[in-house]
Amino acid sequence: MCFYKSPLKIKWNITKKLMVANIIILAIPLILIAVIGFGNIRNKLEIGKLQENGYLLDGEKSDIEHNIEAMSITAQLVVSNKNLMNFIETNRDISNEEYVKYSLDTFYDIQNIQSTNPAINRIKFYIKEDKYIPEIYPYIYHEDQMKNKKIFNQVISSKGREYWVANNVEYTGITGIYYNVVSVYRSINIPSNNHIGIVEVNMNTKDFFRMVFHNSENNDYQFIAIDKEGTVICNDGYLKNNNISTELIKKKFYESKINNEKGGFILNNHNKKLMVSYVYIDSIHGYVLKVDSSEAVLKSISTNKNIFIFGTIILLILLSIVIYFINSYILKNLRTIIKELKKMRKGNFDIHLSIVTNDEIGELAYHFSEFSNKINELVSDIIKKETVAKEAELRALQNQIDSHFLYNVLENIKMMAEIEEKYDISDAITALGNMMRYNIKWDNQLVNIKDEIDYIKDYISLDRKSTRLNSSHRLYL
């Protein structure tokens, strides 16, 4: 099996990886906090804005109810005026003197009643018995002028109760101008089954709905009113400037209102989010709405979000710098170990690490030093063993060379003895050569019996010749 080494290129060291890991660990929760947290903040701010608008609407409702009370009191004062009631109940022809007197008294009485509340625009009294009493402009009119109005039957059927019209039109004959008013009508029945006329009290719509008609064009909100007939009462302002349909608001209002008292809802209109709050006005059976742009809320959230993001970026940068220096300090000893490993790779096993710490890097340095020392010991042992083996091999080779030399010398002596016909010497040299060959090739504890017997025979033969004994030796197996 072959292994091919490829050069290791480190693009990201541990310090950078730890920095990125820490940044990711911090950034992900911060991003989640930004997304979820600012979403919740936006919802809470929108709810808070709706509640704030509700408080403003409560103030407008209080102002409207004050106007309603003023108009109701005015109508009651008219009905309670005895001079006026006596004049209206006249069922006979009156003289010119009486007419002038009643006219002046009625004029001053109604004028005094109206002067008690300057917001009252006009007071009218429609009399039924028009054959005895002529019209006295601008207060006394004949009831025939009201019969062509669609509200006449509702006023009569109310039987003395107040009937309110929030979007009425008043015409002044002198100036010839039409203007919008809020009107309250009350049928006069004296006694209860005898209808004698209708009292009408008007207040200018701009005075009745002050907040609706006092919007600045620079505001990002607007008040509107919706009467019981569904007619929208509003002024030029935010809605018109931003091409926002009041009919759309009215439609969404009827779809979204939870109860008849007060509430609010969010309306999306051409990528514009509107916050609509409403309050119910019981007497006129209508609603006052505050339409508010959420741009201010979103702008506030966007500003806070940008500050949070900027602060987060600064925090991450500072943390990255701190993490970098901390990791550099922690990994300083690890770089020393890597440096020593590179020296070992080049064949230098003389390693000296002076790292003494109680952490994992200190333990790694200790075991690395022990590993290096063990490698040095093993290398020394291998070198020693190789040296001994080489020496033994040289000695064996030297012995082989000496043996062959001796064999050749003995073989020459043997040949010389045979030439001289000295066969005893030749046999003795032959026995000695056999014994030397046997001793050299004996490298095992186990031998053949035949080889051992031949060795003994050669030894006895050589012994006889060396001691010159003629004694007979026998070998028994």
Side-chain angles (χ1 to χ4, degrees):
M1 183 181 294
C2 298
F3 297 94
Y4 297 94
K5 295 188 295 182
S6 60
L8 182 62
K9 296 181 180 179
I10 301 176
K11 296 182 179 180
W12 286 77
N13 55 31
I14 295 177
T15 301
K16 292 181 179 178
K17 290 179 179 178
L18 289 174
M19 285 176 58
V20 173
N22 287 320
I23 290 173
I24 291 174
I25 291 171
L26 291 172
I28 290 176
L30 289 174
I31 291 172
L32 292 176
I33 290 172
V35 173
I36 299 174
F38 281 102
N40 292 333
I41 291 173
R42 181 186 62 192
N43 293 334
K44 289 181 179 179
L45 287 176
E46 289 176 350
I47 294 172
K49 190 65 176 178
L50 290 174
Q51 291 177 346
E52 179 185 347
N53 292 343
Y55 299 144
L56 293 175
L57 287 172
D58 287 339
E60 175 67 0
K61 178 181 179 180
S62 177
D63 189 42
I64 292 172
E65 288 177 343
H66 175 74
N67 294 331
I68 291 172
E69 184 180 6
M71 294 176 69
S72 297
I73 292 173
T74 301
Q76 182 61 37
L77 289 174
V78 172
V79 174
S80 301
N81 188 282
K82 293 182 178 181
N83 292 330
L84 178 61
M85 293 299 104
N86 291 332
F87 177 65
I88 292 172
E89 290 179 11
T90 300
N91 54 6
R92 61 180 177 81
D93 293 329
I94 60 175
S95 64
N96 292 333
E97 290 79 7
E98 289 179 317
Y99 174 75
V100 172
K101 181 180 181 300
Y102 278 119
S103 297
L104 291 175
D105 291 341
T106 302
F107 180 85
Y108 288 123
D109 288 342
I110 295 178
Q111 191 176 39
N112 289 332
I113 293 172
Q114 185 173 349
S115 65
T116 59
N117 191 343
I120 300 298
N121 176 262
R122 197 168 181 184
I123 300 174
K124 296 181 182 180
F125 205 104
Y126 298 92
I127 58 175
K128 181 180 179 182
E129 297 296 335
D130 54 356
K131 66 180 180 178
Y132 298 113
I133 303 174
E135 292 183 342
I136 304 175
Y137 183 84
Y139 298 117
I140 306 298
Y141 298 89
H142 292 162
E143 199 173 79
D144 291 339
Q145 294 191 25
M146 268 202 68
K147 289 183 179 179
N148 59 349
K149 295 182 179 181
K150 62 180 182 179
I151 62 170
F152 178 76
N153 293 328
Q154 286 88 338
V155 174
I156 298 299
S157 61
S158 64
K159 296 181 179 180
R161 293 188 302 271
E162 294 177 351
Y163 183 84
W164 289 85
V165 179
N167 189 34
N168 205 2
V169 178
E170 178 68 25
Y171 172 75
T172 56
I174 297 176
T175 60
I177 298 175
Y178 290 90
Y179 55 94
N180 294 324
V181 294
V182 177
S183 302
V184 57
Y185 295 91
R186 183 173 173 181
S187 175
I188 308 301
N189 303 312
I190 300 176
S192 60
N193 58 352
N194 181 30
H195 173 69
I196 63 173
I198 298 173
V199 63
E200 175 185 346
V201 179
N202 294 331
M203 181 181 288
N204 196 307
T205 308
K206 293 182 179 180
D207 295 328
F208 191 86
F209 299 105
R210 287 189 177 90
M211 297 299 294
V212 174
F213 289 92
H214 287 78
N215 289 325
S216 172
E217 293 184 358
N218 296 325
N219 290 338
D220 56 357
Y221 67 88
Q222 184 172 350
F223 287 88
I224 65 173
I226 301 177
D227 67 4
K228 58 186 176 183
E229 304 295 332
T231 303
V232 177
I233 304 170
C234 66
N235 192 20
D236 293 340
Y238 172 76
L239 298 180
K240 183 178 180 180
N241 295 337
N242 291 273
N243 297 321
I244 300 174
S245 172
T246 56
E247 292 298 319
L248 175 63
I249 295 175
K250 182 177 74 172
K251 179 181 178 183
K252 186 65 177 178
F253 163 68
Y254 284 122
E255 292 175 354
S256 303
K257 71 184 181 77
I258 301 174
N259 55 61
N260 289 331
E261 293 299 324
K262 61 188 302 185
F265 58 91
I266 305 295
L267 172 63
N268 292 314
N269 179 50
H270 302 297
N271 298 325
K272 286 186 178 181
K273 183 176 285 189
L274 302 175
M275 293 177 289
V276 182
S277 301
Y278 61 88
V279 65
Y280 179 68
I281 311 299
D282 182 62
S283 297
I284 63 175
H285 303 291
Y287 293 88
V288 177
L289 288 71
K290 184 174 185 288
V291 182
D292 205 334
S293 172
S294 63
E295 291 180 1
V297 175
L298 295 177
K299 185 177 180 181
S300 175
I301 294 173
S302 178
T303 301
N304 293 330
K305 188 176 182 180
N306 292 334
I307 293 173
F308 179 82
I309 292 173
F310 180 76
T312 301
I313 293 172
I314 298 298
L315 177 63
L316 290 176
I317 292 173
L318 293 176
L319 286 176
S320 300
I321 295 172
V322 173
I323 290 170
Y324 175 79
F325 284 108
I326 292 175
N327 288 337
S328 298
Y329 175 77
I330 294 174
L331 299 177
K332 178 181 178 181
N333 293 331
L334 185 60
R335 292 192 185 93
T336 302
I337 296 174
I338 294 173
K339 182 179 179 181
E340 297 299 322
L341 279 171
K342 290 179 179 178
K343 288 171 61 178
M344 289 182 64
R345 183 180 177 186
K346 294 178 180 179
N348 183 5
F349 293 95
D350 187 14
I351 305 300
H352 299 284
L353 291 173
S354 58
I355 300 174
V356 182
T357 57
N358 295 324
D359 54 10
E360 289 79 2
I361 294 179
E363 186 177 358
L364 177 63
Y366 170 77
H367 290 294
F368 179 71
S369 298
E370 293 295 318
F371 176 69
S372 175
N373 294 334
K374 189 66 176 178
I375 289 177
N376 285 330
E377 292 177 2
L378 293 175
V379 170
S380 298
D381 291 342
I382 291 172
I383 292 173
K384 288 179 182 179
K385 288 180 181 180
E386 288 183 352
T387 302
V388 171
K390 291 292 184 181
E391 290 178 354
E393 185 178 353
L394 289 174
R395 286 196 297 268
L397 182 61
Q398 184 178 4
N399 292 332
Q400 290 179 3
I401 293 173
D402 293 341
S403 298
H404 287 294
F405 176 73
L406 290 175
Y407 292 154
N408 292 332
V409 171
L410 291 175
E411 191 65 29
N412 291 331
I413 295 172
K414 176 183 175 182
M415 294 299 296
M416 291 174 61
E418 289 181 354
I419 292 173
E420 296 287 334
E421 295 182 356
K422 294 179 180 180
Y423 296 106
D424 290 338
I425 296 173
S426 175
D427 293 337
I429 291 172
T430 300
L432 179 60
N434 291 335
M435 290 179 67
M436 290 180 65
R437 288 190 184 90
Y438 181 76
N439 287 330
I440 291 173
K441 75 174 184 178
W442 187 27
D443 56 358
N444 198 346
Q445 293 181 355
L446 299 177
V447 296
N448 293 328
I449 294 177
K450 179 179 178 302
D451 295 335
E452 191 69 19
I453 291 173
D454 291 338
Y455 177 81
I456 293 171
K457 286 181 180 180
D458 291 331
Y459 177 81
I460 293 172
S461 173
L462 187 60
D463 183 62
R464 284 178 180 174
K465 291 183 172 36
S466 61
T467 57
R468 298 181 180 276
L469 295 176
N470 291 324
S471 61
S472 175
H473 293 82
R474 294 181 181 273
L475 181 62
Y476 296 96
L477 299 177

